[in-house]
Amino acid sequence: MTRMPYPGCYPTARPRRNRADAATRRMVAEARLGVDDLIWPIFLKDGGGAAEPVDSMPGVFRYGVDEAVAVAHRAAQLGLPAVVLFPCTPDGLKTDDGRESYNPDNLTCRTIRAIKAADPGLAVMTDIALDPYTTHGHDGVIRDGRIVNDESVEVLVRQALAQADAGADILAPSDMMDGRIGAIRRALEQANHAEIRLMAYAAKYASAFYGPFRDAVGSGGVLRGDKKTYQMDPANSEEAIRETALDIAEGADMVMVKPGLPYLDIVHRIKQAFAVPTAVYHVSGEFSMLHAAAERGWIDYDRGLMEVLLSFKRAGADMILTYGAPRAAELLASR
Ligand code: PBG
């Protein structure tokens, strides 16, 4: 909102008065970050045994089903409303068409059932895309060297139904195929899953900042080429409006912008334009950069994390997916 400048100038006006002490600063703070805003992404691995550290993401692990249940329980105890699951599929189960994605007993579906049995009040969110399941690391099916849209959507719908049947609360399609929100919404309605929420990765950019994530789910090493024919060009913001309008029209309940910090302008525009619940994904590369700088003693991790998360709220985000969620929840509780 643009307002006229206030009358009066120095020394009548001294903006520093409102910053004079902590109590006043608390009262005049415009944006607030709370534990309710945070969603914790968790990586899964097949088989039991100890959690495996993700080399490119300090403090982040891949968990087997039992451990994931314990981690989800910790999330609930910290007051986090939701976790989002990302599987690392064993190579032997990867195929060109990613059919493991809709196996009702795949790693994701087993974990959804186990978490919902243990902590029914915690929202379980899942990713809809084929990259953890394909031999080529793309989010869709390839024909003659092209990622084909409509055939990919058919597989994504089957994946969505498998996760819905397993008990997921929120499905988050991250694939960026055209028409997938509508196709998934129709399939959910027909399958008596009318209440399942869709959080559309509406404005997802072809970004350099997904590198550590691709390590974590094991899709980075196998990825052939790039994702520029389906993920958005970082040059564009009008297109983000169009993508988001389409996803809402097709049945998205919530929308997402991804990555976060380099796209705060997009978060702001989308929240202003549509006034729907808007999420932002503080992605793996953003998280790891902060850690890398902190390890060198260049940035204070806790302060850096909280400042970044607050910037998302100030830009207009309602929800934030961040690997820093458990730490942020601890810091918020100790304030
Ligand atoms: C899969 C997916 C990606 C991320 C979330 N879902 C990677 C990609 O599109 O290549 C990235 C998340 C992160 O970097 O933290 N479609």
Side-chain angles (χ1 to χ4, degrees), residues 255-275:
V255 297
M256 191 205 295
V257 175
K258 175 184 176 189
L261 271 192
Y263 299 90
L264 286 182
D265 57 324
I266 308 297
V267 174
H268 188 72
R269 278 195 73 177
I270 286 182
K271 185 63 193 182
Q272 298 272 314
F274 299 105

Side-chain angles (χ1 to χ4, degrees), residues 7 62 72 87 90 107 111 132 140-141 149 163 172 190 198 200 202 210 237 258 273 286:
R62 296 181 200 94
L107 179 56
T111 309
V141 178
N149 194 85
Q163 295 177 352
Q190 275 162 19
L198 291 180
Y210 307 149
S237 69
K258 175 184 176 189
E286 300 177 71

Side-chain angles (χ1 to χ4, degrees), residues 149-150 152-154 156-157 173 175-187 198 200 243 246-247 249-251:
N149 194 85
D150 299 5
S152 299
V153 171
E154 284 173 29
L156 295 164
V157 166
D175 54 283
M176 291 296 279
M177 298 300 133
D178 293 333
R180 90 282 202 214
I181 298 296
I184 292 171
R185 177 53 75 206
R186 280 190 295 280
L198 291 180
E243 280 281 6
L246 286 168
D247 285 352
E250 289 177 28

Side-chain angles (χ1 to χ4, degrees), residues 43 57 86 127-132 137 139 174-175 201 204-205 209-214 219 223 227 230-231 258 281-285 323:
F43 295 111
M57 301 182 72
F86 293 100
D127 192 66
I128 309 280
L130 302 185
D131 52 326
D139 298 29
S174 71
D175 54 283
Y201 284 65
K204 175 172 179 180
Y205 288 86
F209 292 97
Y210 307 149
F213 172 96
R214 291 179 189 168
S219 70
L223 180 64
K227 300 192 176 185
Y230 46 105
Q231 298 181 350
K258 175 184 176 189
Y281 201 142
H282 178 227
V283 301
S284 58
Y323 304 95

Side-chain angles (χ1 to χ4, degrees), residues 36-314:
D36 295 337
D37 306 324
L38 304 174
I39 299 170
W40 186 7
I42 292 174
F43 295 111
L44 308 174
K45 66 166 183 145
D46 218 24
E52 287 168 8
V54 177
D55 292 339
S56 52
M57 301 182 72
V60 173
F61 296 83
R62 296 181 200 94
Y63 300 102
V65 176
D66 293 346
E67 273 184 313
V69 171
V71 168
H73 186 64
R74 189 172 150 232
Q77 282 182 322
L78 285 167
L80 296 167
V83 292
V84 52
L85 308 178
F86 293 100
C88 180
T89 309
D91 285 343
L93 292 175
K94 290 187 182 182
T95 53
D96 277 359
D97 59 4
R99 72 182 82 104
E100 176 65 8
S101 62
Y102 55 83
N103 171 1
D105 281 317
N106 68 19
L107 179 56
T108 303
C109 292
R110 280 183 278 131
T111 309
I112 297 167
R113 286 194 288 268
I115 293 176
K116 289 308 288 186
D119 272 288
L122 180 74
V124 174
M125 193 167 135
T126 56
D127 192 66
I128 309 280
L130 302 185
D131 52 326
Y133 310 96
T134 53
T135 42
H136 45 72
H138 278 288
D139 298 29
V141 178
I142 303 186
R143 296 279 171 236
D144 302 323
R146 312 274 308 163
I147 289 91
V148 288
N149 194 85
D150 299 5
E151 202 176 324
S152 299
V153 171
E154 284 173 29
V155 185
L156 295 164
V157 166
R158 298 177 75 166
Q159 180 182 18
L161 288 174
Q163 295 177 352
D165 288 342
D169 301 288
I170 307 172
L171 308 180
S174 71
D175 54 283
M176 291 296 279
M177 298 300 133
D178 293 333
R180 90 282 202 214
I181 298 296
I184 292 171
R185 177 53 75 206
R186 280 190 295 280
L188 289 172
E189 288 286 332
Q190 275 162 19
N192 284 322
H193 284 309
E195 284 191 1
I196 295 212
R197 282 122 279 164
L198 291 180
M199 180 189 282
Y201 284 65
K204 175 172 179 180
Y205 288 86
S207 171
F209 292 97
Y210 307 149
F213 172 96
R214 291 179 189 168
D215 251 11
V217 300
S219 70
V222 295
L223 180 64
R224 285 188 235 134
D226 57 50
K227 300 192 176 185
K228 291 181 185 170
T229 70
Y230 46 105
Q231 298 181 350
M232 283 177 53
D233 183 343
N236 297 351
S237 69
E238 298 296 329
E239 190 187 8
I241 300 292
R242 181 168 184 232
E243 280 281 6
T244 306
L246 286 168
D247 285 352
I248 295 170
E250 289 177 28
D253 305 288
M254 314 169 188
V255 297
M256 191 205 295
V257 175
K258 175 184 176 189
L261 271 192
Y263 299 90
L264 286 182
D265 57 324
I266 308 297
V267 174
H268 188 72
R269 278 195 73 177
I270 286 182
K271 185 63 193 182
Q272 298 272 314
F274 299 105
V276 297
T278 302
V280 61
Y281 201 142
H282 178 227
V283 301
S284 58
E286 300 177 71
F287 169 84
S288 294
M289 280 196 313
L290 203 49
H291 267 290
E295 275 170 19
R296 293 182 168 213
W298 292 349
I299 287 181
D300 179 283
Y301 177 76
D302 287 346
R303 286 183 52 211
L305 175 69
M306 296 312 262
E307 185 175 331
V308 169
L309 300 182
L310 187 62
S311 81
F312 294 140
K313 294 294 296 183
R314 195 185 61 238

